[in-house]
Amino acid sequence: MWRIAHLSDLHWENPERYFSGGQEALRLTASQVRQAWPDLVVVTGDLTTYGSADPTQFIGVRQWLEDLGVPYMVVPGNHDLGANRLRGATYPDTERYHSEPWVATPFAQAFGLSEPVSVRRLGPIRIIAVALRDGDPDGSIPRLQTAISEEDTPVVILAHYPLETVRDSGPLARFGAGDYIAHSVPDLRATLAPIGRRVLYLAGHVHAASVRRLADGITQITAGGLGPGPSQWWLFHLGESDMSYQSQVGAGPQTFWERFGARLSDSHTYHWGPPADWHGRWAWASADDKTTAVNERST
């Protein structure tokens, strides 16, 4: 059995400019993550709030990760590496766009990533981290396609942007990948759809916990905003034949969207999802059965 801790949207700030208390929340949550004894920590973007404009921010968040004492994989979010030129021009202090090749970007240099796609094996599972920018200037999607095709195993994809929105109403019904990588999402989905075996797509960006089965057989799971809230993360147990997951409570704020004036009738459920989604189990698809495996959720 192997354990993966899925974190997202740490929004490391030093000094704190946008989310006060984030540093302390991350310090306390680090202890919780260590106590879970994961074999791997994955962070699906927005490690910082303004690292795209101030690369020194990566020094602090990288040290935070290394202090966990666990191997980790990271992908950039729009605050770490601007998603497109328009947003970069509109928000130069928090989403600066870098026109240089991937390997020369501050994020790639800070984490020693020579390619926008990295791969790690954990038991029978192939874990693929993919950095995405609109229009795919880094050639991430062809690299992802190559990585997926190399082995016929269950695949865990790490990315920042959800493929589909995570709520049917409220601000999250509109907030997703659309304003960030709209031109790349169709190509990404076309790459994932024909895999024919279990695909677990882990993302962040939306500051909400969600579990969604997509029409093309992909299971999308998003984590909360570990620093600014909701302070939520996931613990996965990966076995030879199945995978289970449990939602974990972090040390930071338990909600997020109210600060933007959103009127939510059930704030906790809106941020954390329904209780039926807080834990569950799937069987991996067998080599002889290429259909989507059955989700056996606990209630």
Side-chain angles (χ1 to χ4, degrees), residues 155 189 215 246:
V155 175
R189 294 200 66 146
Q246 290 181 316

Side-chain angles (χ1 to χ4, degrees), residues 124-125 152-155 195-200 213 217 219 239-243 281-296:
I125 312 303
D152 187 14
T153 62
V155 175
I195 294 176
R197 58 190 185 278
R198 167 65 66 193
V199 177
L200 182 59
R213 296 285 298 278
T219 299
E240 295 284 350
S241 60
D242 62 12
M243 178 277 291
R281 183 180 72 85
W282 287 285
W284 299 118
S286 69
D288 296 328
D289 180 8
K290 297 300 184 181
T291 60
T292 302
V294 175
N295 176 12
E296 302 178 16

Side-chain angles (χ1 to χ4, degrees), residues 26-178:
L26 290 174
R27 184 185 70 81
L28 294 172
T29 304
S31 177
Q32 298 173 339
V33 174
R34 283 192 292 266
Q35 290 174 13
W37 295 98
D39 297 287
L40 179 68
V41 169
V42 302
V43 187
T44 52
D46 279 357
L47 283 71
T48 67
T49 299
Y50 51 90
S52 62
D54 178 8
T56 64
Q57 296 297 298
F58 297 130
I59 298 173
V61 74
R62 186 181 61 198
Q63 188 62 55
W64 185 88
L65 285 166
E66 292 175 355
D67 287 347
L68 294 177
V70 180
Y72 63 85
M73 299 177 73
V74 297
V75 296
N78 50 295
H79 287 276
D80 308 312
L81 185 65
N84 59 58
R85 295 178 186 275
L86 176 59
R87 291 194 66 86
T90 306
Y91 306 103
D93 295 333
T94 56
E95 299 184 43
R96 181 173 299 178
Y97 187 83
H98 290 266
S99 59
E100 58 264 45
W102 162 261
V103 71
T105 62
F107 185 88
Q109 293 190 340
F111 290 97
L113 298 171
S114 60
E115 298 286 347
V117 173
S118 56
V119 181
R120 183 185 293 262
R121 291 295 302 277
L122 193 64
I125 312 303
R126 192 172 184 85
I127 302 166
I128 307 174
V130 54
L132 293 169
R133 293 194 280 176
D134 199 30
D136 198 19
D138 307 309
S140 299
I141 294 176
R143 286 178 170 87
L144 173 63
Q145 188 172 24
T146 298
I148 289 172
S149 66
E150 288 181 348
E151 291 191 31
D152 187 14
T153 62
V155 175
V156 177
I157 307 292
L158 313 177
H160 182 58
Y161 305 97
L163 294 171
E164 289 189 1
T165 54
V166 302
R167 297 288 187 264
D168 297 325
S169 62
L172 291 176
R174 301 179 299 276
F175 182 64

Side-chain angles (χ1 to χ4, degrees), residues 157-244:
I157 307 292
L158 313 177
H160 182 58
Y161 305 97
L163 294 171
E164 289 189 1
T165 54
V166 302
R167 297 288 187 264
D168 297 325
S169 62
L172 291 176
R174 301 179 299 276
F175 182 64
D179 290 336
Y180 299 84
I181 58 165
H183 298 94
S184 296
V185 168
D187 290 339
L188 177 60
R189 294 200 66 146
T191 295
L192 299 181
I195 294 176
R197 58 190 185 278
R198 167 65 66 193
V199 177
L200 182 59
Y201 185 89
L202 304 184
H205 187 56
V206 292
H207 291 247
S210 70
V211 179
R212 285 215 160 182
R213 296 285 298 278
L214 306 188
D216 45 16
I218 303 165
T219 299
Q220 172 183 283
I221 296 184
T222 62
L226 202 61
S231 188
Q232 182 274 351
W233 54 285
W234 296 97
L235 184 63
F236 294 92
H237 294 78
L238 306 178
E240 295 284 350
S241 60
D242 62 12
M243 178 277 291
S244 64

